[in-house]
Structures are given as C-alpha cells and as structure tokens.
Short mmCIF file of all heavy atoms in Angstrom, two decimals:
data_model
loop_
_atom_site.label_atom_id
_atom_site.label_comp_id
_atom_site.label_asym_id
_atom_site.label_seq_id
_atom_site.Cartn_x
_atom_site.Cartn_y
_atom_site.Cartn_z
N ASN W 1 34.62 205.46 37.42
CA ASN W 1 35.30 204.52 36.52
C ASN W 1 34.45 203.39 36.02
O ASN W 1 34.86 202.53 35.24
CB ASN W 1 36.56 203.98 37.21
CG ASN W 1 37.62 205.01 37.46
OD1 ASN W 1 37.86 205.89 36.58
ND2 ASN W 1 38.26 204.95 38.58
N GLU W 2 33.21 203.35 36.44
CA GLU W 2 32.34 202.34 36.02
C GLU W 2 31.81 202.42 34.62
O GLU W 2 31.57 203.55 34.13
CB GLU W 2 31.11 202.19 37.04
CG GLU W 2 31.52 201.83 38.48
CD GLU W 2 31.70 200.35 38.59
OE1 GLU W 2 31.71 199.57 37.68
OE2 GLU W 2 32.02 199.93 39.82
N GLU W 3 31.62 201.29 34.01
CA GLU W 3 31.22 201.35 32.62
C GLU W 3 29.78 201.97 32.41
O GLU W 3 29.59 202.71 31.46
CB GLU W 3 31.15 199.88 32.04
CG GLU W 3 30.75 199.80 30.50
CD GLU W 3 30.89 198.42 29.96
OE1 GLU W 3 31.28 197.50 30.79
OE2 GLU W 3 30.69 198.20 28.83
N VAL W 4 28.90 201.81 33.38
CA VAL W 4 27.52 202.34 33.20
C VAL W 4 27.61 203.87 33.22
O VAL W 4 26.87 204.54 32.45
CB VAL W 4 26.65 201.86 34.40
CG1 VAL W 4 27.11 202.34 35.76
CG2 VAL W 4 25.26 202.30 34.18
N VAL W 5 28.58 204.48 33.93
CA VAL W 5 28.67 205.92 33.91
C VAL W 5 29.35 206.43 32.61
O VAL W 5 28.85 207.38 32.05
CB VAL W 5 29.53 206.40 35.15
CG1 VAL W 5 29.88 207.93 35.03
CG2 VAL W 5 28.82 206.15 36.45
N ALA W 6 30.31 205.68 32.13
CA ALA W 6 30.95 206.07 30.86
C ALA W 6 29.96 206.07 29.70
O ALA W 6 29.94 206.96 28.91
CB ALA W 6 32.13 205.13 30.62
N ARG W 7 29.14 205.04 29.70
CA ARG W 7 28.18 204.96 28.58
C ARG W 7 27.07 205.97 28.72
O ARG W 7 26.55 206.49 27.68
CB ARG W 7 27.59 203.57 28.46
CG ARG W 7 28.65 202.50 28.15
CD ARG W 7 28.10 201.18 27.65
NE ARG W 7 29.11 200.30 27.37
CZ ARG W 7 29.91 200.21 26.28
NH1 ARG W 7 29.65 201.17 25.31
NH2 ARG W 7 30.79 199.27 26.11
N ALA W 8 26.61 206.32 29.95
CA ALA W 8 25.69 207.40 30.13
C ALA W 8 26.19 208.73 29.69
O ALA W 8 25.51 209.54 29.03
CB ALA W 8 25.32 207.52 31.59
N ILE W 9 27.48 209.02 29.93
CA ILE W 9 28.08 210.34 29.45
C ILE W 9 28.26 210.22 27.90
O ILE W 9 27.88 211.22 27.23
CB ILE W 9 29.49 210.45 30.04
CG1 ILE W 9 29.35 210.64 31.58
CG2 ILE W 9 30.24 211.60 29.44
CD1 ILE W 9 30.72 210.73 32.29
N PHE W 10 28.60 209.13 27.36
CA PHE W 10 28.76 209.01 25.85
C PHE W 10 27.45 209.26 25.19
O PHE W 10 27.38 209.88 24.11
CB PHE W 10 29.38 207.72 25.54
CG PHE W 10 29.69 207.58 24.04
CD1 PHE W 10 30.82 208.16 23.51
CD2 PHE W 10 28.86 206.81 23.22
CE1 PHE W 10 31.07 207.98 22.12
CE2 PHE W 10 29.10 206.66 21.88
CZ PHE W 10 30.16 207.32 21.32
N ASP W 11 26.37 208.69 25.72
CA ASP W 11 25.05 208.70 25.05
C ASP W 11 24.30 210.00 25.37
O ASP W 11 23.20 210.19 24.75
CB ASP W 11 24.18 207.52 25.57
CG ASP W 11 24.77 206.22 25.15
OD1 ASP W 11 25.39 206.14 24.13
OD2 ASP W 11 24.52 205.12 25.86
N CYS W 12 24.78 210.87 26.27
CA CYS W 12 24.10 212.08 26.64
C CYS W 12 24.09 213.10 25.49
O CYS W 12 25.20 213.42 24.93
CB CYS W 12 24.71 212.71 27.88
SG CYS W 12 23.82 214.18 28.42
N PRO W 13 22.97 213.60 25.10
CA PRO W 13 22.97 214.58 23.98
C PRO W 13 23.33 216.02 24.42
O PRO W 13 23.64 216.83 23.55
CB PRO W 13 21.46 214.65 23.56
CG PRO W 13 20.68 214.30 24.76
CD PRO W 13 21.56 213.24 25.58
N ILE W 14 23.48 216.27 25.72
CA ILE W 14 23.89 217.55 26.34
C ILE W 14 25.36 217.50 26.58
O ILE W 14 25.90 216.50 27.11
CB ILE W 14 23.16 217.82 27.54
CG1 ILE W 14 21.59 217.71 27.31
CG2 ILE W 14 23.48 219.28 28.03
CD1 ILE W 14 21.09 218.65 26.23
N PRO W 15 26.13 218.54 26.27
CA PRO W 15 27.64 218.57 26.58
C PRO W 15 27.82 218.36 28.05
O PRO W 15 27.13 218.98 28.88
CB PRO W 15 28.06 220.02 26.01
CG PRO W 15 27.06 220.31 25.02
CD PRO W 15 25.75 219.72 25.48
N ILE W 16 28.83 217.59 28.37
CA ILE W 16 29.16 217.23 29.79
C ILE W 16 30.61 217.64 30.13
O ILE W 16 31.48 217.26 29.35
CB ILE W 16 28.92 215.71 30.10
CG1 ILE W 16 27.40 215.39 29.94
CG2 ILE W 16 29.41 215.41 31.46
CD1 ILE W 16 27.11 213.95 30.22
N ILE W 17 30.77 218.26 31.22
CA ILE W 17 32.08 218.54 31.83
C ILE W 17 32.31 217.63 32.92
O ILE W 17 31.40 217.56 33.90
CB ILE W 17 32.17 220.00 32.27
CG1 ILE W 17 31.95 220.89 31.08
CG2 ILE W 17 33.54 220.24 32.87
CD1 ILE W 17 31.98 222.48 31.50
N SER W 18 33.39 216.86 32.96
CA SER W 18 33.67 215.93 34.07
C SER W 18 34.71 216.58 34.96
O SER W 18 35.73 217.06 34.55
CB SER W 18 34.22 214.61 33.54
OG SER W 18 34.65 213.75 34.54
N ALA W 19 34.48 216.53 36.26
CA ALA W 19 35.39 217.15 37.27
C ALA W 19 35.48 216.11 38.33
O ALA W 19 34.75 216.24 39.41
CB ALA W 19 34.87 218.49 37.74
N VAL W 20 36.41 215.18 38.30
CA VAL W 20 36.53 214.12 39.28
C VAL W 20 37.90 214.18 39.94
O VAL W 20 38.92 214.02 39.30
CB VAL W 20 36.33 212.69 38.71
CG1 VAL W 20 36.45 211.64 39.72
CG2 VAL W 20 34.98 212.59 37.91
N GLY W 21 37.95 214.52 41.27
CA GLY W 21 39.15 214.46 41.96
C GLY W 21 39.93 215.72 41.84
O GLY W 21 39.45 216.73 41.42
N HIS W 22 41.29 215.61 41.96
CA HIS W 22 42.18 216.72 41.83
C HIS W 22 43.02 216.52 40.60
O HIS W 22 42.82 215.63 39.84
CB HIS W 22 43.03 216.95 43.13
CG HIS W 22 42.16 217.22 44.32
ND1 HIS W 22 41.49 218.39 44.48
CD2 HIS W 22 41.94 216.53 45.49
CE1 HIS W 22 40.81 218.40 45.61
NE2 HIS W 22 41.09 217.29 46.23
N GLU W 23 44.00 217.40 40.40
CA GLU W 23 44.88 217.41 39.23
C GLU W 23 45.46 216.09 38.88
O GLU W 23 45.61 215.68 37.75
CB GLU W 23 45.88 218.47 39.29
CG GLU W 23 45.29 219.91 39.38
CD GLU W 23 46.38 220.96 39.40
OE1 GLU W 23 47.49 220.60 39.10
OE2 GLU W 23 46.05 222.11 39.77
N ILE W 24 45.92 215.37 39.90
CA ILE W 24 46.65 214.10 39.73
C ILE W 24 45.77 212.93 39.33
O ILE W 24 46.23 211.90 38.95
CB ILE W 24 47.58 213.81 40.82
CG1 ILE W 24 46.69 213.61 42.12
CG2 ILE W 24 48.63 214.81 41.15
CD1 ILE W 24 47.53 213.03 43.33
N ASP W 25 44.47 213.13 39.63
CA ASP W 25 43.53 211.98 39.30
C ASP W 25 42.92 212.12 37.98
O ASP W 25 42.62 213.22 37.45
CB ASP W 25 42.42 212.05 40.37
CG ASP W 25 42.88 211.96 41.77
OD1 ASP W 25 43.76 211.05 42.07
OD2 ASP W 25 42.46 212.69 42.65
N ILE W 26 42.67 210.98 37.33
CA ILE W 26 42.01 210.91 36.03
C ILE W 26 41.07 209.76 36.08
O ILE W 26 41.47 208.65 36.66
CB ILE W 26 42.96 210.88 34.85
CG1 ILE W 26 42.16 211.01 33.56
CG2 ILE W 26 43.77 209.61 34.85
CD1 ILE W 26 43.04 211.22 32.34
N SER W 27 39.85 209.89 35.56
CA SER W 27 38.87 208.81 35.64
C SER W 27 38.40 208.50 34.24
O SER W 27 38.71 209.21 33.26
CB SER W 27 37.71 209.17 36.49
OG SER W 27 36.95 210.35 35.90
N ILE W 28 37.71 207.37 34.11
CA ILE W 28 37.08 207.06 32.84
C ILE W 28 36.03 208.04 32.44
O ILE W 28 35.99 208.47 31.25
CB ILE W 28 36.44 205.65 32.97
CG1 ILE W 28 37.43 204.55 33.26
CG2 ILE W 28 35.65 205.33 31.67
CD1 ILE W 28 38.49 204.31 32.17
N ALA W 29 35.38 208.65 33.39
CA ALA W 29 34.37 209.67 33.08
C ALA W 29 35.15 210.92 32.47
O ALA W 29 34.61 211.50 31.54
CB ALA W 29 33.72 210.12 34.37
N ASP W 30 36.35 211.24 32.87
CA ASP W 30 37.09 212.33 32.40
C ASP W 30 37.45 212.09 30.92
O ASP W 30 37.39 213.01 30.05
CB ASP W 30 38.42 212.54 33.08
CG ASP W 30 38.17 213.05 34.62
OD1 ASP W 30 37.14 213.67 34.83
OD2 ASP W 30 39.02 212.77 35.43
N LEU W 31 37.75 210.86 30.58
CA LEU W 31 38.13 210.53 29.22
C LEU W 31 37.02 210.50 28.24
O LEU W 31 37.13 210.82 27.09
CB LEU W 31 38.83 209.10 29.19
CG LEU W 31 40.12 208.97 30.04
CD1 LEU W 31 40.62 207.54 30.03
CD2 LEU W 31 41.24 209.95 29.52
N VAL W 32 35.80 210.18 28.73
CA VAL W 32 34.60 210.07 27.88
C VAL W 32 33.93 211.44 27.66
O VAL W 32 33.42 211.75 26.69
CB VAL W 32 33.57 209.06 28.40
CG1 VAL W 32 32.36 208.94 27.46
CG2 VAL W 32 34.22 207.69 28.53
N ALA W 33 34.05 212.28 28.77
CA ALA W 33 33.27 213.57 28.72
C ALA W 33 33.77 214.49 27.67
O ALA W 33 34.79 214.39 27.13
CB ALA W 33 33.51 214.25 30.16
N ASP W 34 32.92 215.42 27.33
CA ASP W 34 33.21 216.37 26.28
C ASP W 34 34.30 217.35 26.73
O ASP W 34 35.02 217.88 25.83
CB ASP W 34 31.92 217.15 25.87
CG ASP W 34 30.80 216.30 25.38
OD1 ASP W 34 31.03 215.64 24.36
OD2 ASP W 34 29.74 216.22 26.05
N ARG W 35 34.46 217.63 28.01
CA ARG W 35 35.53 218.45 28.50
C ARG W 35 35.90 217.95 29.88
O ARG W 35 35.08 217.60 30.67
CB ARG W 35 35.06 219.95 28.57
CG ARG W 35 36.14 220.91 28.87
CD ARG W 35 37.08 221.16 27.73
NE ARG W 35 38.11 222.08 27.99
CZ ARG W 35 38.01 223.36 27.85
NH1 ARG W 35 36.90 223.91 27.35
NH2 ARG W 35 39.00 224.23 28.22
N ARG W 36 37.20 217.91 30.15
CA ARG W 36 37.67 217.46 31.48
C ARG W 36 38.18 218.65 32.21
O ARG W 36 38.89 219.52 31.69
CB ARG W 36 38.80 216.50 31.35
CG ARG W 36 39.26 215.96 32.76
CD ARG W 36 40.74 215.56 32.74
NE ARG W 36 41.13 215.30 34.09
CZ ARG W 36 42.42 215.22 34.43
NH1 ARG W 36 43.39 215.36 33.54
NH2 ARG W 36 42.76 214.91 35.68
N ALA W 37 37.75 218.79 33.51
CA ALA W 37 38.25 219.85 34.37
C ALA W 37 39.11 219.17 35.46
O ALA W 37 38.82 218.04 35.97
CB ALA W 37 37.09 220.60 35.04
N LEU W 38 40.17 219.82 35.94
CA LEU W 38 41.03 219.25 36.92
C LEU W 38 40.34 219.22 38.29
O LEU W 38 40.66 218.36 39.05
CB LEU W 38 42.34 219.97 36.96
CG LEU W 38 43.18 220.08 35.66
CD1 LEU W 38 44.42 220.90 35.88
CD2 LEU W 38 43.49 218.69 35.19
N THR W 39 39.49 220.14 38.54
CA THR W 39 38.79 220.25 39.85
C THR W 39 37.36 220.74 39.60
O THR W 39 37.02 221.26 38.55
CB THR W 39 39.52 221.31 40.76
OG1 THR W 39 39.36 222.59 40.23
CG2 THR W 39 40.88 220.88 40.99
N PRO W 40 36.46 220.50 40.50
CA PRO W 40 35.11 221.03 40.36
C PRO W 40 35.08 222.50 40.16
O PRO W 40 34.22 223.03 39.38
CB PRO W 40 34.41 220.60 41.63
CG PRO W 40 35.13 219.34 42.11
CD PRO W 40 36.54 219.58 41.74
#
C-alpha cells in the first residue's frame, strides 16, 4: 500500500500482475497493476 510501490508499478514498462493477500483483501498495488489476481 506504500506510494513507492504504486509508482514503481505504474512506471514499469512490463505488464504487471498483482497478487496480494486473499480474495477479501485489496491493496493499492492491486489497483495500479495491469491485472489483479485474487491469490498468487
């Protein structure tokens, strides 16, 4: 949920899938990533 991680994902030229926590959890990384997964 830290800003430094969110901006690193946003600036990354490679597509990123974020998989943080389980289905009930959502993070800032999930919102910024190109695709969110509910689990790893």
Side-chain angles (χ1 to χ4, degrees):
N1 291 321
E2 295 282 2
E3 183 174 0
V4 64
V5 173
R7 298 199 180 277
I9 294 175
F10 183 79
D11 295 335
C12 183
I14 307 299
I16 294 182
I17 302 175
S18 175
V20 181
H22 297 295
E23 296 182 13
I24 61 173
D25 301 316
I26 187 169
S27 66
I28 297 296
D30 293 332
L31 299 175
V32 183
D34 300 296
R35 187 73 181 270
R36 182 210 171 193
L38 300 180
T39 63

